[in-house]
Amino acid sequence: MPNRLAHETSPYLLQHADNPVDWYPWGKEALNKAATEDKPIFLSIGYSACHWCHVMERESFTDPVTADLLNSSFVSIKVDREERPDLDAIYMDAVTAFTAEAAGR
């Protein structure tokens, strides 16, 4: 059964439309759901030609056990970095800052 990504236009998001993960596209609906249900967001940012994005899908996002965990404990949001480079930049900056801090730099 398709998830919410089935209504998107992004080829990358559409690649994940049949995952058992209850994906939301980035937007108010997902952010409001996370706030209302007091759940953390599981954010996945990728793009169509990304090798590791396909590996993650194959090894994690199509797995029913992983999907059940994500669906029950998180609001899962999928972002196409080619459509939303602004979001990708924000989260890449955060990861870089956290990684540098953890490494003591």
Side-chain angles (χ1 to χ4, degrees):
M1 174 177 233
N3 58 41
R4 286 170 187 81
L5 300 183
H7 305 292
E8 296 299 306
T9 57
S10 157
Y12 176 67
L13 298 182
L14 289 171
Q15 287 174 354
H16 295 274
D18 290 318
N19 292 167
V21 175
D22 188 17
W23 291 115
Y24 282 79
W26 181 270
K28 288 183 181 181
E29 181 184 9
L31 300 175
N32 288 340
K33 180 179 174 74
T36 301
E37 296 183 10
D38 194 28
K39 286 185 176 178
I41 291 171
F42 178 85
L43 182 63
S44 176
I45 301 175
Y47 60 105
S48 294
C50 169
H51 168 76
W52 292 112
C53 297
H54 292 287
V55 171
M56 279 290 291
E57 179 182 24
R58 185 177 64 248
E59 294 183 2
S60 300
F61 302 144
T62 59
D63 177 61
V65 174
T66 302
D68 286 345
L69 174 66
L70 289 172
N71 294 341
S72 65
S73 302
F74 298 88
V75 174
S76 299
I77 300 176
K78 179 68 77 174
V79 174
D80 182 339
R81 71 181 291 198
E82 292 177 317
E83 285 192 343
R84 294 299 308 264
D86 57 324
L87 292 174
D88 182 54
I90 290 167
Y91 288 100
M92 287 301 293
D93 287 347
V95 167
T96 301
F98 292 139
T99 303
E101 186 173 321
R105 291 183 235 159

